[in-house]
Amino acid sequence: MEKPFVVSVIGPTAVGKTKLGIEISKRFNGEVINADSMQFLKVLILVLLK
């Protein structure tokens, strides 16, 4: 059984991250999970407060 892996595509606004993520997910039969910095920050704050 193969080990699962995570690919993270990060960068500034409007440089084609979504398109690249979709192409990568198609090639490796994966999924695209999208989150912006504010979503990540909210989760991080909640985790740190617990």
Side-chain angles (χ1 to χ4, degrees), residues 5-41:
F5 61 94
V6 174
V7 176
S8 179
V9 179
I10 58 173
T13 303
V15 294
K17 296 181 300 291
T18 299
K19 185 176 180 181
L20 177 60
I22 291 169
E23 291 301 316
I24 291 170
S25 72
K26 286 179 181 177
R27 183 166 184 160
F28 294 101
N29 194 26
E31 297 180 41
V32 174
I33 301 173
N34 182 27
D36 66 20
S37 61
M38 292 310 293
Q39 290 170 315
F40 179 76
L41 186 59

